[in-house]
Amino acid sequence: MALPDYEAWAIFAVVARLGSFTAAAQELALSKPTISKAISRLERSLGTVLFHRTSRKISLSTAGKSLLRHAQQIASDGEAAMEAAREATHLLQGQVRLAAPLSYGLSHLAPVIADFMCAYPEITVDLQLNDARIDLVEHGFDCAIRISALPDSSLRAIKLRDMNGYFIAAPSYIKRMGQPKTPADLVDHDCFIYSNTPSPEVWQIIGPNDQAMNIRPKCRFKSNNGDVMLPALIAGRGIGYLPDFLCQKALDAGELLNILPDWRMGDIALNIIMPPSRLRPARVDALVNHLKDNLR
């Protein structure tokens, strides 16, 4: 029985992630002909085309898309096996790719990453800040910070803490527009909507005894980032719903009020998520453990 061409599978995963033979050659410190030959060799052994090639770009074929996860798993497991032999901290090296929400990344994650880089000088970090929910395996991330209720999936997750969310408005807004008594009152108020959800125009609100209702708020301001809502909320321009890490300081200072304290929009938590494989490079475990110990 012929052994699988593990090198070609790993090269396929890198080319697919970078979308370029040239970029893959640079990252892997190989020649472009070596990359091209590995892909052609793998295509011959599989009896299918993995990439559509033109003079300007390459793109995954249908077969390539269906086989990509296998290639990514082979590459990831190979890296993990190599790193499993490195026992001393100073030997940990290589890159870790981490994704995180923009506002949380700037306010809470940045100093933690700085400490990690001091502790592990041979590990490089590729941190991508984006509020969009990304596919870790498809985009080649080792782990991610996710602030949400996690649906059932094959991803591995570590819950760091529960996170509170608040319906908030400035005292000046309440004085001008009145105090909402129930979530149903929100349809008559100027509301700020976070658009990076499956159904941003519908607020699914849970109250005492887990009673639930759906509200279609009147939208005054919509954004895919919660941080940008704060100045206008503090200025009394409307009502929003934000997690505690964004608005707690303003609440403590009296700049904002928790106007519907018995109601929430679902349960959210601060999580670290990782691809499904239990085998991870030691450098990834080092970052995950550092995040567990230091993020709040």
Side-chain angles (χ1 to χ4, degrees):
M1 181 184 73
L3 287 173
D5 191 342
Y6 293 114
E7 180 186 49
W9 277 103
I11 289 173
F12 167 44
V14 175
V15 173
R17 173 166 58 83
L18 298 176
S20 165
F21 281 29
T22 301
Q26 292 172 347
E27 179 166 309
L28 297 173
L30 298 172
S31 68
K32 186 177 177 181
T34 298
I35 299 295
S36 181
K37 289 177 182 177
I39 298 301
S40 297
R41 190 170 69 242
L42 186 59
E43 288 177 328
R44 285 196 302 273
S45 68
L46 295 172
T48 189
V49 173
L50 298 173
F51 293 101
H52 298 303
R53 302 165 175 82
T54 68
S55 58
R56 293 187 176 183
K57 65 177 183 178
I58 64 170
S59 60
L60 282 168
S61 67
T62 300
K65 291 177 181 178
S66 68
L67 293 170
L68 179 56
R69 286 184 180 270
H70 297 289
Q72 291 167 329
Q73 193 65 60
I74 289 171
S76 176
D77 287 349
E79 275 193 275
M82 292 289 291
E83 293 240 2
R86 304 179 190 269
E87 296 181 355
T89 296
H90 73 275
L91 291 177
L92 293 180
Q93 56 185 285
Q95 178 177 265
V96 180
R97 302 193 73 226
L98 171 66
L102 175 60
S103 294
Y104 187 83
L106 293 173
S107 62
H108 289 66
L109 185 58
V112 173
I113 293 297
D115 290 341
F116 176 79
M117 293 172 68
C118 291
Y120 296 90
E122 298 300 318
I123 298 178
T124 61
V125 179
D126 179 0
L127 172 61
Q128 299 294 317
L129 300 180
N130 194 321
D131 284 357
R133 181 168 296 193
I134 60 169
D135 186 309
L136 299 190
V137 175
E138 180 181 348
H139 292 91
F141 283 97
D142 297 298
C143 53
I145 301 299
R146 190 157 289 174
I147 300 173
S148 66
L150 294 180
D152 291 336
S153 75
S154 61
L155 295 173
R156 297 176 60 78
I158 299 171
K159 180 179 175 181
L160 300 182
R161 73 170 178 94
D162 290 317
M163 190 170 282
N164 295 317
Y166 303 107
F167 289 98
I168 50 177
S172 60
Y173 179 86
I174 298 303
K175 182 178 179 179
R176 187 176 75 254
M177 302 298 295
Q179 169 80 44
K181 303 300 182 183
T182 71
D185 296 336
L186 295 175
V187 298
D188 297 320
H189 284 268
D190 296 331
C191 293
F192 286 26
I193 293 177
Y194 178 66
S195 61
N196 219 355
T197 66
S199 54
E201 286 78 18
V202 178
W203 283 0
Q204 298 175 322
I205 302 176
I206 302 172
N209 303 316
D210 289 332
Q211 63 195 92
M213 64 173 66
N214 290 341
I215 300 296
R216 289 186 176 272
K218 182 176 68 173
C219 179
R220 177 74 194 279
F221 180 55
K222 180 189 293 186
S223 176
N224 65 350
N225 178 266
D227 222 1
V228 301
M229 299 180 185
L230 273 176
L233 288 169
I234 292 172
R237 296 300 95 197
I239 294 173
Y241 186 87
L242 292 178
D244 56 26
F245 79 90
L246 282 177
C247 65
Q248 193 64 57
K249 288 183 179 179
L251 285 169
D252 293 343
E255 296 174 310
L256 293 171
L257 303 174
N258 181 9
I259 60 171
L260 291 169
D262 296 327
W263 298 82
R264 68 190 190 279
M265 284 209 285
D267 298 315
I268 57 176
L270 177 65
N271 306 279
I272 302 172
I273 61 170
M274 294 158 285
S277 174
R278 292 181 179 271
L279 189 62
R280 294 188 301 273
R283 64 180 182 272
V284 177
D285 281 336
L287 177 58
V288 169
N289 289 334
H290 187 80
L291 297 177
K292 285 166 57 179
D293 292 340
N294 293 279
L295 284 182
R296 297 292 181 266

